[in-house]
Amino acid sequence: MDRLMTIENNVKELIIKRCKLDDVVADEIDNDAPIFVSQDEDDVVTNGLELDSVDALEIVAAIKGEYGISIDPKDMGIFHSIRTLSEFIKEKAAN
């Protein structure tokens, strides 16, 4: 298993635990699906994991605790998907 895949699986587990998503299984989360509700340019709404701003804070705290990585407000675009969040962690962990 490569490093990014390991991080993706760990991030899914962190989100499930910290956001109390008891009915969600990590393997069923699409790495490229939006984490939060999103709307594209054609006004198509995707619910993602249906998380809110409090959940975002929980995820930030979980990432800080697990990886020692702080997330700056300017980096909030990383919360698009599991993949974008995991790529950010991989990049920051390499520095």
Side-chain angles (χ1 to χ4, degrees), residues 6-53:
T6 301
I7 294 170
E8 288 170 344
N9 290 333
N10 193 36
V11 166
K12 289 177 189 180
E13 292 296 339
L14 285 172
I15 290 172
I16 289 169
K17 182 179 178 183
R18 291 297 289 258
C19 299
K20 298 175 179 63
L21 302 176
D22 300 327
D23 59 335
V24 176
V25 177
D27 291 340
E28 295 176 358
I29 300 173
D30 181 350
N31 291 334
D32 296 310
I35 296 174
F36 299 93
V37 175
S38 68
Q39 186 171 355
D40 68 15
E41 60 275 348
D42 296 322
D43 291 332
V44 174
V45 176
T46 305
N47 288 333
L49 295 174
E50 299 183 14
L51 302 179
D52 60 23
S53 58

Side-chain angles (χ1 to χ4, degrees), residues 48-68:
L49 295 174
E50 299 183 14
L51 302 179
D52 60 23
S53 58
V54 173
D55 294 317
L57 294 173
E58 286 292 332
I59 295 168
V60 168
I63 299 302
K64 175 73 173 173
E66 181 74 15
Y67 296 99

Side-chain angles (χ1 to χ4, degrees), residues 50-93:
E50 299 183 14
L51 302 179
D52 60 23
S53 58
V54 173
D55 294 317
L57 294 173
E58 286 292 332
I59 295 168
V60 168
I63 299 302
K64 175 73 173 173
E66 181 74 15
Y67 296 99
I69 296 171
S70 296
I71 299 175
D72 192 280
K74 69 177 178 59
D75 294 323
M76 294 314 254
I78 64 168
F79 286 102
H80 174 71
S81 67
I82 297 294
R83 187 169 321 278
T84 56
L85 182 55
S86 299
E87 287 171 348
F88 175 84
I89 292 167
K90 182 180 176 186
E91 178 184 311
K92 292 293 184 180

